[in-house]
Amino acid sequence: MKPELDWMSYEELVRDIYLALGKDKGVTIQCHGASCKVIGKSGVTHQIDVLTRHSDGMHEYFTAIECKHWKDKVDKDIVMKVSEIIDDAGVSKGVIVAKMGFTPDAITYAKNRNISLVELREPVEKDWEGKIKDVVIDLNVIKPFITKIKFLASVEDTLQEKKIQSYVVRSSTGDKPLKEVIDEFAEELYEQNADTNFEKKITFDDETFLIEETSGYRIQVKGVLIGGHYKIEKIHQEIKGEDHVWLVMQSLFDNRLMTISPTGEVRVKR
């Protein structure tokens, strides 16, 4: 399920994205949110949505990021405001991230300033042009079916299927999970082309025990008789683009394109 975004979670997502993108370059988050403030040369305090920091070993560089989770395009007044803030605060660079994009005047003005414009929005049909959006897969899947697990022992040996994971076969050579024994038999079903019932008897040495790890219950066993067959199942699966692309992030001036998955993973496309 895709997370719902409001202005606050949008701001937090932007913070996380820039932290992930700059991790290899030593970028850190200096501050974010309502408490993120810088004092300019004028003495005026400016609130910044996200402030990042990185160093080249000699100098520190700060980037002020303004987030606009608006229903309308960002106009030039916001760009001018951010430009004035970075000048007054001595910040190296400004970035404006907007959900609905920017007006032509805002784009023109930002080109003449040290400000990057970035769209972070839901994908639209044009984003899928030349790309595969939805995939339909029809598969025939071979699945093993175990019909019998009978241990050769002197006591009742009927096992509850739900407890199979907790049983261990212990012999002089060490412990082996019962599930591993069954999985090996399942592999043999394919080799035997066992589309009808196939049985195999596996013998153990004289000092072999079946142990239930949770309760400690144990019985001595001489072997196991396993039966089963494989069955072909038809699987129809639809993979939709929106299942793996939640948001699109595009930088207007360097044309860098990224996608954000519903789990928050950032993928750089170009």
Side-chain angles (χ1 to χ4, degrees), residues 245-264:
V245 175
W246 171 32
L247 299 171
V248 171
M249 187 171 185
Q250 184 169 13
S251 179
L252 270 59
F253 298 145
D254 62 16
N255 205 31
R256 186 167 63 159
L257 180 68
M258 289 160 280
T259 60
I260 317 299
S261 74
T263 59

Side-chain angles (χ1 to χ4, degrees), residues 150-152 169-172 176 178 181 201-210 219-226:
K150 182 177 179 60
F151 277 88
L152 307 179
V169 177
R170 178 168 295 168
S171 67
S172 58
K176 190 171 190 177
L178 177 56
V181 175
K201 180 181 178 181
I202 303 171
T203 58
F204 301 139
D205 61 38
D206 293 337
E207 296 299 322
T208 300
F209 293 86
L210 178 66
I219 57 171
Q220 188 171 10
V221 291
K222 297 180 180 180
V224 61
L225 181 65
I226 307 180

